[in-house]
């Protein structure tokens, strides 16, 4: 819910209970401190460019400054 608050209403996620889609997995890792796209790609078995593309698409839906979106994600729960 806190992650969705950072996004435009039309871009919010509503995954099935107990599961995360790829975008949410990426930003969950970022929230946990893994912010290197290559490392995220290794963990999720994607290419670094795929991770980059997912991140850009989510950041483009941000309500605030898209350049500070990852920092806002890291502050969730703190």
């Amino acid at each position: 819910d806190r992650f969705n608050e950072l996004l435009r209403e039309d871009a919010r996620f509503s995954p099935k209970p107990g599961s995360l889609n790829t975008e949410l997995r990426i930003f969950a890792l970022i929230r946990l401190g893994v912010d290197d796209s290559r490392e995220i790609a290794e963990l999720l078995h994607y290419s670094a460019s795929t991770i980059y593309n997912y991140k850009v698409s989510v950041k483009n839906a941000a309500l605030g400054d898209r350049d500070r979106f990852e920092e806002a994600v890291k502050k969730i729960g703190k």
Side-chain angles (χ1 to χ4, degrees):
D1 290 334
R2 299 272 318 272
F3 181 76
N4 275 333
E5 291 173 5
L6 300 173
L7 301 172
R8 291 187 327 257
E9 193 169 332
D10 65 321
R12 294 182 177 169
F13 298 97
S14 53
K16 295 178 185 175
S19 68
L20 298 176
N21 62 16
T22 302
E23 293 91 337
L24 292 175
R25 288 175 190 213
I26 291 168
F27 285 96
L29 287 168
I30 290 170
R31 166 61 187 90
L32 294 172
V34 182
D35 53 11
D36 180 62
S37 291
R38 288 174 291 164
E39 189 173 355
I40 294 171
E42 280 185 36
L43 290 168
L44 298 180
H45 306 289
Y46 287 103
S47 71
S49 63
T50 299
I51 299 301
Y52 173 81
N53 290 333
Y54 275 116
K55 287 168 65 173
V56 167
S57 69
V58 173
K59 287 179 183 182
N60 285 337
L63 284 174
D65 183 0
R66 65 183 300 272
D67 294 328
R68 295 181 182 212
F69 185 77
E70 288 186 36
E71 290 303 317
V73 169
K74 290 177 185 178
K75 292 179 182 176
I76 292 175
K78 290 188 176 181

